[in-house]
Amino acid sequence: KDALIDSLEPGRYFVIVVDNFNCSSLDSVVLQSQIPITVNAVPLPKGPLNQYHISCPGVEDASFFFRALGQYPPFSYRVVDAMGDTVRSENGLGFAESRIIDSMGSGFYNVLVHDSHGCPQVTPMEILSPDSISFNMVPGIATPPYNISCNGYTDGSIALNNLQGGN
């Protein structure tokens, strides 16, 4: 007779089989799993302070580097946005270890990698965008109520206040 014990995790298992006469046999087996795929996804910084990944709000010019390591290359990947839509993918033969993905917008993404055996690994990533540039302009008053004191003069001024955002 045969029996099946399924849905087991990796580890050592002991099985005792007892017959109708109370005779028994003990054996053990170790179930091994492959080493999990390791995926590192790193958005590449832009700008002088390297704190954002996009040059300007609303622009899709972010790049990110990712590397997958595991026992069974080649790998295939999908980049999925926060809504679950695939925004980039490569299937078929796939890639050996790493990729740089360009032209990404800001937001939250998951990088889903599968090895050649179909085993998955998911890594979250966020691409940051600077805030929109905002400011207030206030024209200077040279001779009230005029901003330039005399016709033909160049003594006008504009003050920029509350400058915020940008990269």
Side-chain angles (χ1 to χ4, degrees), residues 13 67 69 73 100 103 157:
Y13 292 88
R67 167 176 261 166
L69 298 172
I100 292 182
S103 304
S157 65

Side-chain angles (χ1 to χ4, degrees), residues 55-142:
S55 59
C56 298
V59 175
E60 293 186 352
D61 65 352
S63 299
F64 74 92
F65 169 85
F66 75 94
R67 167 176 261 166
L69 298 172
Q71 289 178 299
Y72 300 104
F75 303 99
S76 62
Y77 74 87
R78 281 190 317 139
V79 180
V80 178
D81 65 17
M83 301 302 292
D85 295 327
T86 299
V87 294
R88 301 282 190 286
S89 67
E90 183 175 311
N91 294 313
L93 295 178
F95 63 99
E97 278 189 12
S98 62
R99 277 282 185 270
I100 292 182
I101 308 296
D102 295 316
S103 304
M104 299 290 294
S106 64
F108 292 95
Y109 296 92
N110 281 316
V111 180
L112 293 83
V113 175
H114 287 84
D115 66 13
S116 61
H117 288 181
C119 296
Q121 181 63 40
V122 178
T123 297
M125 176 189 61
E126 181 180 11
I127 294 178
L128 301 174
S129 174
D131 293 332
S132 295
I133 297 172
S134 66
F135 57 91
N136 296 326
M137 287 194 329
V138 179
I141 303 290

Side-chain angles (χ1 to χ4, degrees), residues 6-86:
D6 61 2
S7 301
L8 300 174
E9 296 178 0
R12 177 175 291 279
Y13 292 88
F14 296 90
V15 176
I16 299 173
V17 176
V18 180
D19 68 10
N20 291 330
F21 292 103
N22 222 17
C23 298
S24 64
S25 178
L26 169 68
D27 201 354
S28 68
V29 65
V30 175
L31 298 182
Q32 296 179 343
S33 176
Q34 74 179 44
I35 297 170
I37 302 168
T38 302
V39 178
N40 295 317
V42 180
L44 303 176
K46 285 193 185 315
L49 301 177
N50 290 331
Q51 65 189 109
Y52 301 109
H53 311 119
I54 303 240
S55 59
C56 298
V59 175
E60 293 186 352
D61 65 352
S63 299
F64 74 92
F65 169 85
F66 75 94
R67 167 176 261 166
L69 298 172
Q71 289 178 299
Y72 300 104
F75 303 99
S76 62
Y77 74 87
R78 281 190 317 139
V79 180
V80 178
D81 65 17
M83 301 302 292
D85 295 327
T86 299

